[in-house]
Amino acid sequence: MAVVSKKIPAPDKVKIRTALLSVSDKTGIIELAKALAEQGVRLLSTGGTHKAIAAAGLDVTDVSEVTGFPEIMDGRVKTLHPGVHGGLLAIRDDEDHVAAMKEHGITGIDLSVINLYPFEEVRAAGGDYPTTVENIDIGGPAMIRASAKNHAYVTIVTDPSDYPALIEALGSNDGHTVYAFRQKLAAKAYARTAAYDTAISNWFAEALDIEIPRYRTIGGVLKEEMRYGENPHQSAGFYVTGENRPGVATATLLQGKQLSYNNINDTDGAFELIGEFTADKGPACAIIKHANPCGVATGPTLKDAYLRALACDSTSAFGGIIALNQLLDSETAEEIVKLFTEVIIAPEVSEEAKAIIAKKPNLRLLVTGGLPDPRSRGITAKTVAGGLLVQTRDNGMIEDLDLRVVTKRAPTPTELEDLKFAYKVAKHVKSNAIVYAKEGQTAGIGAGQMSRIDSARIAGLKAEEAAKTMGWAEPMTKGSAVASEAFFPFADGLLSAISAGATAVIQPGGSMRDAEVIAAADEHGVAMVFTGMRHFRH
């Protein structure tokens, strides 16, 4: 027997005699109410829930009859009353509690079925300030928390998906619930109110431009339990926060196996990158492997963009993630299915392309309905031992920066376009990052190295391998633009890029040795542009 207090043990089985039903989401509530009525349970209810149950022909008592007080203030005040909370919080085996119930005419409530005003949905839909505030539930969370605290005697159900389990539990236990069952539902109830309050507090922080609030919580609802995490010995779940941002969390899976932990992580990175290239500027494709781009390109058609992205590193693209910035058409789909691919994500997909992809039943196909706005605000978070690191999303855009030419030679118009393209990609490459680009196509990518010169060398080697694979006369780094997401601390990284064939460079600047790096660029006739904005990515 578990202990309720120092004196009173919790009963294993509790008979459900009175149930309070008060729900915003009425999915399954009539079926549940009928099952409870068949068990002889007295039904209490409020507002719209009461009307729905009564309309179904069931005997149901309005809470106002219990409280002796009508709903007031447009329903804002209806359950915040001792007649309700006394019935939820009373310890049935405590003589003082029982006496207080008898003295004040309070009836015990054994089952609470409660879900909350749709604050998350209203927030995601972009409701205005007054509408969003009006959808903050007060009485619901109070009743949930009261019921969950007193789970020794009260069964609290907050999720319609738990109704069948409740009905089964009552049927197999002669109208009773067991303590272990009540414990699990109480734990879920507190998690629900925590996630609800998190959504509200984070909305307030956004609405009031409070970037670093004193208290910060991250909440979500389980979308699916994963087979495992990054590795098979790790368990994992995919939770969604309710943020209305096109991407893997909000996409529709049209076909394919369940997304893995790594699939979701990589697909998110791929689609955030492709969001840098708006559809009105032309087709673009990004191919991601292990959270880093291995090829990114634009083109006159989506098929061309895909083939150009693939050409950058066709070896690494095997088993990768493909992100597209516009409708996936049949011509592009025909090319993609020639290569083993884990995931395709696009804003839209044509019916013809769907039919082609369907021939590869394990290939996941995700449709988002739009692209993420790279300028929009938001937060990202990661855990550390004993803490949580939270920051605003990196929404810096090359188009918004005041670029400064620091060398004797300015980049040509063509070089400048390639510099901007390379810098957009470098923003999404793990640091240290070096990206070569030429004519709207990545030529070589060096990612995640401990020194910048190693990233420059690796990117150059990748370009040489691509040239051999494609049968080109020389690597695409010859005459390319190169981007570094952070400053060159020494001239050696720049010299490595120049030796690979780069003729123009873009970097944030800000090193103690900027003058040395600029002098090396001038010595080789290379144009260099400073952005003033770093894009570290770890």
Side-chain angles (χ1 to χ4, degrees):
M1 298 284 280
V3 176
V4 175
S5 69
K6 291 181 179 180
K7 300 182 293 181
I8 305 172
D12 181 36
K13 291 186 176 183
V14 170
K15 178 72 172 179
I16 304 300
R17 294 183 172 85
T18 300
L20 171 60
L21 286 65
S22 180
V23 295
S24 176
D25 177 2
K26 295 177 177 56
T27 302
I29 194 63
I30 300 303
E31 292 78 3
L32 176 61
K34 288 179 178 178
L36 294 173
E38 289 173 2
Q39 291 275 353
V41 177
R42 178 194 181 203
L43 304 180
L44 306 178
S45 194
T46 62
T49 310
H50 176 270
K51 291 178 182 178
I53 296 172
L58 297 173
D59 186 15
V60 57
T61 301
D62 193 284
V63 165
S64 62
E65 295 182 35
V66 173
T67 63
F69 206 90
E71 290 187 18
I72 61 172
M73 301 177 185
D74 299 317
R76 283 190 170 198
V77 179
K78 54 191 173 188
T79 60
L80 299 170
H81 189 280
V84 173
H85 286 271
L88 295 174
L89 286 166
I91 297 174
R92 313 305 199 251
D93 298 317
D94 185 300
E95 293 180 359
D96 292 338
H97 286 211
V98 172
M101 292 173 71
K102 184 176 180 179
E103 178 183 355
H104 298 288
I106 296 173
T107 300
I109 298 172
D110 312 299
L111 168 65
S112 296
V113 181
I114 302 166
N115 58 57
L116 307 173
Y117 291 174
F119 176 87
E120 294 101 331
E121 290 82 354
V122 172
R123 176 195 182 198
D128 60 26
Y129 192 96
T131 302
T132 307
V133 169
E134 195 58 32
N135 277 277
I136 297 175
D137 203 329
I138 301 301
M143 290 189 293
I144 289 173
R145 292 175 62 84
S147 303
K149 175 174 181 175
N150 201 28
H151 64 271
Y153 301 95
V154 180
T155 304
I156 171 64
V157 180
T158 58
D159 188 342
S161 68
D162 289 324
Y163 295 173
L166 173 63
I167 294 171
E168 168 63 24
L170 293 174
S172 60
N173 290 285
D174 191 27
H176 294 72
T177 61
V178 299
Y179 185 64
F181 183 70
R182 298 194 300 276
Q183 281 183 304
K184 290 179 181 179
L185 290 175
K188 187 172 186 177
Y190 276 116
R192 176 66 189 110
T193 56
Y196 194 75
D197 286 341
T198 291
I200 295 168
S201 65
N202 286 339
W203 172 77
F204 267 115
E206 293 169 9
L208 302 178
D209 293 326
I210 304 171
E211 291 189 343
I212 311 296
R214 176 71 177 88
Y215 299 98
R216 169 71 79 180
T217 56
I218 304 295
V221 60
L222 182 66
K223 184 173 184 178
E224 59 183 312
E225 186 174 346
M226 324 245 69
R227 288 194 300 129
Y228 54 83
E230 279 188 291
N231 300 290
H233 63 278
Q234 296 171 270
S235 59
F238 182 29
Y239 292 81
V240 291
T241 64
E243 181 184 14
N244 190 23
R245 182 176 179 82
V248 65
T250 56
T252 299
L253 179 65
L254 297 184
Q255 72 156 65
K257 300 184 295 183
Q258 180 192 29
L259 290 160
S260 71
Y261 181 100
N262 293 326
N263 288 154
I264 291 171
N265 187 56
D266 291 352
T267 303
D268 177 68
F271 208 60
E272 286 294 320
L273 190 162
I274 208 64
E276 303 276 350
F277 300 92
T278 55
D280 63 316
K281 297 294 178 62
C285 173
I287 305 175
I288 301 290
K289 190 69 174 290
H290 294 303
N292 274 306
C294 53
V296 184
T298 58
T301 69
L302 196 63
K303 174 183 173 181
D304 292 325
Y306 166 70
L307 291 174
R308 283 160 58 82
L310 179 63
C312 178
D313 189 352
S314 57
T315 300
S316 297
F318 182 85
I321 311 293
I322 296 174
L324 306 166
N325 75 335
Q326 54 185 237
L327 180 142
L328 171 59
D329 54 42
S330 58
E331 291 80 9
T332 309
E334 288 281 10
E335 289 296 332
I336 290 175
V337 296
K338 293 177 182 177
L339 179 75
F340 170 61
T341 300
E342 290 278 5
V343 180
I344 303 171
I345 185 168
E348 299 177 85
V349 181
S350 72
E351 292 300 320
E352 295 80 7
K354 288 180 187 178
I356 293 167
I357 302 298
K359 297 174 184 178
K360 300 282 187 178
N362 289 334
L363 173 55
R364 292 95 161 175
L365 178 59
L366 294 170
V367 177
T368 64
L371 291 175
D373 180 1
R375 286 189 176 87
S376 69
R377 300 174 63 187
I379 63 169
T380 63
K382 66 179 294 185
T383 59
V384 295
L388 191 68
L389 276 173
V390 180
Q391 63 177 347
T392 56
R393 182 180 286 119
D394 183 357
N395 61 356
M397 294 283 291
I398 185 71
E399 289 86 355
D400 301 333
L401 303 180
D402 184 16
L403 304 182
R404 183 164 63 96
V405 178
V406 295
T407 47
K408 295 175 181 178
R409 183 175 79 80
T412 66
T414 298
E415 286 175 329
L416 184 59
E417 287 305 307
D418 282 337
L419 287 172
K420 291 179 178 178
F421 175 89
Y423 207 63
K424 285 183 178 181
V425 176
K427 173 182 171 181
H428 295 269
V429 178
K430 301 290 185 181
S431 301
N432 288 311
I434 293 291
V435 177
Y436 296 95
K438 187 175 182 180
E439 299 173 356
Q441 177 181 3
T442 52
I445 300 172
Q449 298 305 303
M450 288 67 75
S451 68
R452 197 159 298 278
I453 187 171
D454 284 343
S455 290
R457 288 169 177 164
I458 289 171
L461 290 172
K462 287 285 188 181
E464 292 174 6
E465 291 172 0
K468 291 177 183 177
T469 301
M470 301 301 296
W472 298 331
E474 62 180 11
M476 280 186 60
T477 49
K478 300 299 182 182
S480 68
V482 64
S484 174
E485 99 292 3
F487 63 64
F488 286 100
F490 303 97
D492 55 2
L494 171 66
L495 293 174
S496 179
I498 292 171
S499 68
T503 60
V505 182
I506 187 168
Q507 60 141 318
S511 168
M512 293 176 60
R513 296 181 177 83
D514 275 348
E516 175 186 323
V517 175
I518 294 168
D522 282 333
E523 182 180 348
H524 291 83
V526 169
M528 182 180 288
V529 174
F530 280 6
T531 68
M533 178 178 284
R534 188 180 74 184
H535 287 298
F536 268 169
R537 189 176 185 86
H538 295 100

